[in-house]
Amino acid sequence: MLEPTRITLARHAAGYSTLDLARLVQVGESTVRRYETCGAPEALAGQLAGALGCAPGYFHRPPTAGIDVERIFFRTPRRISRAQKTACSALGRTGVELYNLITADYTLPDTEVPDYTGFDPEAAAAQLRLDWNLGCGPVPDLIYVLESRGVRVLSLASGTSFSFWEEGQAFIFLAAGDRAEQRHQLAHELGHLLLHSALGADGHAAAEAEAEAEQFAARLLLPALSLQARMGDTLQLPQLLDLQELFGVPARIILSHARECGMLGDASYSWLVQELALEPAPRRAPLASRVFSLVFPSLRGEDRLDTARIADTLGVPARTLHELTFGHAFMVLPGLRDAAPRGMPGHLRALS
């Protein structure tokens, strides 16, 4: 029999209700519910996999469940439907299983994110700079800083960023976007991991947590003294764009933060917002994971686990791996496998 919890998880990942799946496989909804309680016949593996967008082997993996939705921090929780949240919880489980597979071969740092529960966002940002030796200027490559502290960062092809704790490890799923926007999203999710590990399901508390994470992100990426020293008495658009490049933070965030800290008056803020709207959107390469950029070439070079074999082990499409790993899990198009270039040999054993 196929593993019932895997049928449920695959359905959640696809964003389907039990009725949706019943219609796809042409059975009654009660039959789908029975599959998800007692399992489905082996003969249905291919049909279910085709309907749910996974590999038949997914239903032979051990029993599991999605990440508890109430433990996930969503970037914009009020704008996300319950079905979307459930899909994220299923994708979160895939990310955890991917990292479990990687850490079976590679020694990565355990998560070392301090618990700042009870701190206000400004104090938490200042304390983290001290604890992580980040200095008082622009934060360097934030994704590398996080990965060096054991945070598992994965990428999303679509949707909104989210984060959670699982088995003592911190995970951030980063939405696609401009490089500066992604840095801000990373800092926002880090704020949740630091400040809100004890947060429950209370809606009002969750709304407050979003505001605190936003404040933390601004305080971390835009330390007041450093920003003030570079702004001077007046702020013009060219200077604002320079600050955007220097701090790696979207200009709109700089404006909001400067006004909130009293560095910028309302009139100047409004004028600069209008000027900024006329500027073309910058084109910068998105962020990339140091872990995946080292691990996947090494795996290919040592001829152990290429993308296809990892996908087969996890029971997910190769495209899913490609999307979760910032594109480092290379996909081979059908018919071109023999022509695919091999990666350079690698000998990675630890990330420090």
Side-chain angles (χ1 to χ4, degrees):
M1 298 292 284
L2 305 181
E3 171 54 43
T5 61
R6 291 286 173 173
I7 299 173
T8 301
L9 201 60
R11 176 175 63 78
H12 287 168
Y16 293 149
S17 67
T18 52
L19 181 58
D20 293 331
L21 179 56
R23 288 170 174 167
L24 286 170
V25 296
Q26 298 182 333
V27 298
E29 187 176 7
S30 61
T31 300
V32 169
R33 289 176 179 155
R34 186 170 67 252
Y35 291 164
E36 296 187 2
T37 303
C38 305
E42 291 280 347
L44 292 180
Q47 185 180 8
L48 286 171
L52 296 173
C54 61
Y58 188 75
F59 305 119
H60 296 110
R61 288 186 54 74
T64 191
I67 307 300
D68 182 0
V69 170
E70 305 301 345
R71 293 193 291 110
I72 300 178
F73 303 111
F74 292 99
R75 183 71 176 84
T76 52
R78 294 184 176 181
R79 301 177 188 175
I80 304 174
S81 69
R82 183 71 184 183
Q84 289 172 317
K85 291 179 179 179
T86 304
C88 288
S89 81
L91 186 62
R93 177 58 62 193
T94 297
V96 170
E97 293 183 340
L98 171 59
Y99 257 99
N100 287 343
L101 188 64
I102 290 173
T103 53
D105 276 337
Y106 295 95
T107 302
L108 301 180
D110 288 329
T111 298
E112 297 178 355
V113 173
D115 183 358
Y116 291 162
T117 301
F119 280 58
D120 69 71
E122 183 175 5
Q127 187 62 48
L128 187 69
R129 280 181 170 269
L130 290 174
D131 290 346
W132 283 6
N133 299 313
L134 297 177
C136 58
V139 178
D141 185 348
L142 186 55
I143 195 169
Y144 174 69
V145 170
L146 290 173
E147 288 182 328
S148 70
R149 298 286 175 169
V151 180
R152 280 61 167 133
V153 184
L154 302 102
S155 55
L156 297 171
S158 60
T160 186
S161 298
F162 62 93
S163 58
F164 56 85
W165 286 93
E166 178 72 4
E167 299 178 352
Q169 306 296 330
F171 288 81
I172 295 177
F173 285 68
L174 182 63
D178 174 73
R179 188 182 190 89
E181 181 60 39
Q182 286 186 310
R183 274 173 55 87
H184 180 251
Q185 291 180 36
L186 279 176
H188 179 103
E189 297 305 327
L190 176 59
H192 282 309
L193 297 171
L194 290 162
L195 296 167
H196 305 132
S197 59
L199 184 66
D202 180 78
H204 179 68
E208 289 184 350
E210 277 300 297
E212 290 179 353
E214 196 71 4
Q215 292 168 24
F216 170 84
R219 297 287 182 177
L220 178 67
L221 298 177
L222 299 166
L225 291 177
S226 184
L227 181 60
Q228 178 69 71
R230 290 168 171 84
M231 281 185 57
D233 296 329
T234 60
L235 181 64
Q236 302 296 323
L237 184 61
Q239 186 183 7
L240 173 62
L241 297 178
D242 288 343
L243 291 174
Q244 178 176 247
E245 291 299 317
L246 176 65
F247 287 100
V249 180
R252 60 179 177 79
I253 300 297
I254 297 175
L255 288 177
S256 296
H257 182 61
R259 182 175 64 167
E260 181 182 339
C261 294
M263 302 178 195
L264 193 66
D266 289 344
S268 296
Y269 171 83
S270 298
W271 177 77
L272 284 167
V273 166
Q274 296 176 46
E275 289 291 303
L276 186 62
L278 301 177
E279 282 292 307
R283 293 186 178 181
R284 290 182 291 262
L287 296 178
S289 161
R290 187 72 61 92
V291 169
F292 295 133
S293 70
L294 294 175
V295 166
F296 277 90
S298 179
L299 289 174
R300 290 194 303 275
E302 295 176 10
D303 196 27
R304 290 184 295 159
L305 284 172
D306 61 12
T307 301
R309 277 182 281 183
I310 294 176
D312 184 62
T313 299
L314 296 178
V316 300
R319 178 175 294 280
T320 298
L321 284 185
H322 179 77
E323 293 170 350
L324 286 175
T325 61
F326 295 84
H328 288 295
F330 295 152
M331 295 174 58
V332 179
L333 297 177
L336 297 181
R337 177 172 294 278
D338 293 339
R342 299 181 63 83
M344 295 297 292
H347 303 282
L348 175 69
R349 285 294 178 270
L351 177 74
S352 59

